[in-house]
């Protein structure tokens, strides 16, 4: 095995160039086998094998720096820097992260997870290098999908006037998670196909020349062709800005890649190397189904079929179905995603109502302000977005939606712990960052029917409103509790006295479990589904405070600025006679791992909550 010869960074340089193709095949085989067991980002990694090898051959790590945009494609980099053993525990609790982590290796120069940051970070490192008189090569690797994010352009704009070396590699596989979208994608595609395009045109000349209108028509086409040529000369867009463009280069030809990287290293300015790759390269199921193998669950290597059968609908499926119904009922409803039509469940809506569906690329900030514009224009925009990615658009939510009190609906998926993607992807801040914004309203459903009821409520609400729901299976318990959603009102589930559990969204299920155990202990207990996080149900809380000695708030969100804090402030301000226990995520980043394990670790699982209730009961 050639891979056996690679134990640490730079060991790849001992491999005979004749064996590069064999090494790439071994790496692919390794990745497919390992990811088929653990799950992980397969397609992007298979596409970046030769590119990563070439970078490691042309650079000297860890002195030189590679910044991986998003970071989901860094598996080969991990493999070439002595982390082969880590793949058995990839994305598992306590195991190797699926993204670059500075604390994991000196060869990981920058932590990533959210897209479009690599050029900014790389440029910062370039400036630091120069100011400190150091001599190292700095390379940012960004995908064509990530190049749809605004930050990338802000950084390119700054990098353009650089008079020192900075290498940007554009890893262009013509795909984001799904098909890439927009003008830049089209531009890159023009470069990809420019030669073929001109050849076809040339063919057309000769055919026309032989007709009776031949010459004038050909002259006209020539003029058009010249201007077209301007458009399709590779990289003019970057060159005009002042960034040297090299490419396009075959991203699966290691020798060519090394040559072009070495050429780029000699330049005294910012250089962009346009590398053409194939997502899923070398593994047919991933080549044929790039979206499915972007982030894969464990699968059968022979067939590519997922090992675990999906038994129940998840919240995304429920949202998807509701959107189909709402879309049919009301043609003012429009849907927006930032490059996640599959992940957010909007795919079906996009097929049914293509004119009312907008995939704006990885551009959450634009998505939100665009939605504000749609609302001003008289439509009912639904922005479907993951909790952690909406963090990007805080100012747009505040400045463009909420100040003007526009009826934009935020359907926030992956709210709460997401598990294996770790600290960059946990959706544990949305209640805090949204609660702080005047005019914003926030709901969280306890089960799948309530998600549907809340969406219906939201589309007729007429002001900014968010509903947040977690990753994974939609809860189908508590089916009997389906009182109509009423503004700012919680829902009483079981009513007694002494201990009141007041739970938000996903925590209602945990609340049921805690309730059952407390009942077994012979205690009196109340369970309330909060439903609204903003505004909180002040009247309901006031009543609970007078009939209970302990009020336990439960949420899958950080404590700071969350639901519990709001309830506590209200109780303090009004001198309510009740002790409050806040169950929330502590003030720290939560790493990757199984969600149940993580909940235990941070103390929001049933056992931890019971323990804390017992502790407090000893005091009251
Ligand atoms: C801000 C943000 N929004 C959404 C995502 C989800 N996401 C992860 S990878 C990806 C597509 C990236 O495409 P590209 O950069 O072309 O890389 P590829 O996977 O094709 O190699 C998206 C949308 C993200 N990581 N960050």
């Amino acid at each position: 095995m050639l891979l056996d010869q690679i134990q640490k960074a730079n060991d790849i340089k001992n491999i005979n160039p004749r064996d590069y193709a064999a090494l790439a095949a071994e790496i692919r085989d390794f990745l497919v086998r390992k990811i088929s067991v653990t799950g992980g980002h397969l397609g992007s990694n298979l596409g970046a094998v030769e590119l990563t090898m070439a970078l490691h051959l042309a650079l000297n790590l860890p002195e030189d720096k590679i910044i991986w945009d998003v970071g989901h494609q860094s598996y080969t980099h991990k493999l070439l820097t002595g982390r082969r053993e880590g793949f058995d525990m990839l994305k598992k609790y306590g195991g190797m992260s699926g993204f670059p982590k500075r604390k994991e290796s000196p060869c990981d120069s920058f932590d990533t997870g959210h897209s479009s940051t690599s050029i900014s970070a790389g440029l910062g490192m370039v400036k630091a290098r120069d100011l400190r008189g150091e001599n190292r090569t700095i390379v940012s690797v960004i995908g064509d999908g990530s190049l749809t994010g605004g930050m990338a352009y802000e950084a390119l704009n700054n990098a353009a006037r650089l008079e020192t070396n900075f290498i940007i590699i554009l890893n262009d596989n013509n795909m984001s998670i799904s098909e890439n979208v927009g003008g830049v994608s089209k531009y890159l595609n023009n470069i990809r196909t420019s030669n073929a395009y001109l050849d076809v045109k040339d063919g057309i000349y000769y055919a026309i020349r032989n007709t009776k209108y031949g010459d004038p028509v050909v002259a006209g086409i020539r003029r058009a062709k010249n201007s077209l040529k301007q458009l399709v000369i590779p990289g003019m867009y970057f060159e005009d800005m002042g960034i040297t463009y090299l490419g396009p280069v075959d991203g699966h030809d290691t020798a060519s890649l090394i040559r072009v990287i070495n050429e780029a290293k000699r330049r005294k300015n910012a250089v962009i190397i346009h590398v053409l790759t194939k997502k899923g390269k070398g593994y047919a199921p991933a080549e044929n189904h790039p979206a499915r193998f972007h982030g894969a669950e464990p699968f059968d290597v022979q067939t590519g079929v997922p090992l675990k059968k999906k038994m129940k609908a998840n919240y995304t499926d429920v949202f998807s179905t509701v959107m189909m119904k709402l879309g049919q009922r009301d043609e003012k409803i429009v849907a927006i995603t930032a490059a996640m039509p599959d992940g957010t469940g909007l795919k079906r809506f996009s097929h049914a109502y293509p004119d009312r569906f907008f995939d704006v690329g990885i551009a959450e900030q634009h998505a939100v302000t665009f939605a504000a514009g749609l609302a001003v224009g008289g439509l009912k925009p639904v922005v479907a977005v993951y909790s952690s990615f909406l963090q990007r658009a805080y100012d747009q939510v505040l400045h463009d939606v909420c100040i003007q009190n526009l009826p934009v609906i935020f359907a926030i998926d992956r709210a709460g712990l997401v598990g294996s993607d770790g600290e960059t992807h946990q959706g544990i801040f949305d209640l805090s960052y949204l609660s702080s914004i005047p005019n914003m309203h926030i709901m969280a459903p306890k089960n799948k029917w309530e998600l549907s009821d809340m969406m219906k409520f939201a589309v007729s609400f007429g002001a900014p409103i968010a509903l947040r729901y977690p990753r994974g299976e939609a809860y189908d318990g508590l089916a009997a509790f389906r009182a109509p959603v009423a503004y700012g009102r919680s829902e009483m589930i079981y009513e007694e006295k002494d201990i009141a559990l007041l739970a938000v969204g996903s925590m209602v299920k945990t609340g049921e479990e805690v309730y059952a155990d407390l009942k077994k202990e012979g205690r009196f207990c109340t369970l309330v589904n909060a439903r609204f996080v903003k505004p909180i149900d002040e009247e309901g809380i006031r009543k609970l405070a007078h009939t209970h000695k302990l009020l336990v708030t439960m949420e899958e969100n950080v404590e700071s600025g969350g639901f519990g804090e709001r309830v506590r402030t209200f109780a303090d301000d009004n001198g309510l006679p009740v002790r409050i226990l806040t169950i929330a995520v502590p003030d720290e980043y939560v790493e990757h791992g199984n969600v149940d394990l993580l909940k235990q670790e941070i103390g929001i699982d049933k056992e931890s909550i019971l323990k804390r209730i017992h502790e407090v009961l000893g005091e009251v």
Side-chain angles (χ1 to χ4, degrees), residues 43-64:
S44 317
N45 280 294
L46 292 178
V49 171
E50 288 87 358
L51 172 59
T52 311
M53 284 171 50
L55 280 166
H56 279 253
L57 287 160
L59 302 178
N60 189 27
L61 266 61
E63 287 73 27
D64 294 336

Side-chain angles (χ1 to χ4, degrees), residues 151-280:
M151 261 188 93
Y153 298 91
E154 296 169 28
L156 282 176
N157 187 41
N158 259 218
R161 297 283 161 239
L162 212 55
E163 288 174 357
T164 179
N165 185 258
F166 176 30
I167 302 176
I168 300 159
I169 294 192
L170 171 56
N171 173 15
D172 177 7
N173 56 23
N174 206 16
M175 290 288 291
S176 192
I177 292 179
S178 311
E179 211 98 311
N180 202 5
V181 296
V184 173
S185 170
K186 197 166 161 214
Y187 172 72
L188 295 175
N189 210 29
N190 276 348
I191 296 178
R192 262 178 187 267
T193 53
S194 55
N195 291 335
Y197 179 74
L198 290 176
D199 287 344
V200 171
K201 281 281 175 208
D202 284 344
I204 291 173
Y205 286 156
Y206 299 113
I208 296 171
R209 193 179 279 276
N210 292 333
T211 70
K212 68 175 176 173
Y213 305 108
D215 284 348
V217 175
V218 166
I221 290 181
R222 270 237 167 86
R223 277 197 302 278
K225 182 184 160 184
N226 282 338
S227 56
L228 274 170
K229 216 171 180 176
Q230 284 298 317
L231 283 177
V232 296
I233 282 176
M236 278 305 280
Y237 170 70
F238 301 103
E239 292 273 346
D240 281 350
M241 226 195 284
I243 298 175
T244 300
Y245 172 94
L246 301 177
V249 194
D250 177 355
H252 301 299
D253 175 348
T254 310
S256 299
L257 286 165
I258 296 171
R259 260 198 309 278
V260 73
I261 294 167
N262 284 330
E263 158 71 18
K265 278 167 74 176
R266 285 193 283 274
R267 305 292 174 120
K268 291 268 173 284
N269 60 328
V271 183
I272 193 158
I273 307 176
H274 186 184
V275 175
L276 304 184
T277 59
K278 177 146 190 74
K279 206 159 179 167

Side-chain angles (χ1 to χ4, degrees), residues 44 72 113 115 143-146 173 175-176 279 294 362 364 389:
S44 317
H72 62 312
S115 87
D144 57 307
S146 300
N173 56 23
M175 290 288 291
S176 192
K279 206 159 179 167
H294 178 85
I362 312 180
E364 289 80 6
F389 302 145

Side-chain angles (χ1 to χ4, degrees), residues 33-51:
R33 275 189 298 106
K34 291 295 177 186
I35 298 171
S36 74
V37 177
T38 57
H41 287 100
L42 184 60
S44 317
N45 280 294
L46 292 178
V49 171
E50 288 87 358
L51 172 59

Side-chain angles (χ1 to χ4, degrees), residues 297 314-316 413-415 417-420 469-473 595:
E297 294 297 325
N314 57 36
Y315 279 107
T316 310
D413 200 333
R414 303 322 194 254
L417 297 170
V418 297
S420 60
Y469 42 93
R471 178 169 200 256
E473 238 170 48
V595 169

